[in-house]
């Protein structure tokens, strides 16, 4: 079990902003998961990987793929309080789910 968090590399987010967006995505997708997947993932140490996307279009393509695969997922839109404009799509989380199911959607992406 794992969760992949995909953040936009084109936004030039600072380290703290990136960390916040990744955290938002992780929690939102966790809440989208069924109880059994949540429990199993938590019991296995909550494995996460942070990957990079080239832009908003790629995030939405990945979100569509996750939806088609029936995977828990969440797209983050920033509130606009600091570095990004309100509504900026900044990150996507896929999972928690079985490693191979998450990899089917995000396996071709590079580490952030």
């Amino acid at each position: 079990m794992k969760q992949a968090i995909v953040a936009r590399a084109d936004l030039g987010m600072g380290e703290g902003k990136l960390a916040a967006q990744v955290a938002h995505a992780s929690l939102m997708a966790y809440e989208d998961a069924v109880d059994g997947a949540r429990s199993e993932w938590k019991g296995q140490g909550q494995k996460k990987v942070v990957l990079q996307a080239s832009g908003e279009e790629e995030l939405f393509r990945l979100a569509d793929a996750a939806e088609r695969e029936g995977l828990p997922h969440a797209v983050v839109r920033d509130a606009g309080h600091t570095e990004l404009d309100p509504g900026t799509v900044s990150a996507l989380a896929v999972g928690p789910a079985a490693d191979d199911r998450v990899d089917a959607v995000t396996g071709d992406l590079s580490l952030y």
Side-chain angles (χ1 to χ4, degrees):
M1 298 286 288
K2 73 176 173 183
Q3 185 180 65
I5 302 100
V6 185
R8 285 181 56 188
D10 64 315
L11 294 176
M13 293 180 276
E15 293 172 355
K17 185 63 170 182
L18 174 63
Q21 299 307 289
V22 166
H24 289 320
S26 178
L27 182 57
M28 290 167 61
Y30 171 82
E31 291 174 338
D32 189 48
V34 297
D35 288 339
R38 289 183 198 178
S39 298
E40 186 176 350
W41 183 59
K42 284 171 65 176
Q44 293 181 13
Q46 301 175 13
K47 180 169 63 173
K48 299 171 198 72
V49 60
V50 180
L51 306 167
Q52 60 181 309
S54 59
E56 182 177 310
E57 183 178 318
E58 186 172 20
L59 280 186
F60 282 124
R61 182 183 59 76
L62 295 165
D64 286 344
E67 180 74 24
R68 284 191 308 275
E69 294 294 325
L71 293 169
H73 63 285
V75 173
V76 176
R77 293 180 184 272
D78 193 67
H81 298 302
T82 57
E83 296 180 21
L84 304 176
D85 292 332
T88 299
V89 174
S90 59
L92 162 74
V94 178
D99 288 14
D100 61 336
R101 295 188 66 216
V102 173
D103 288 345
V105 174
T106 62
D108 293 334
L109 302 174
S110 298
L111 291 173
Y112 201 96

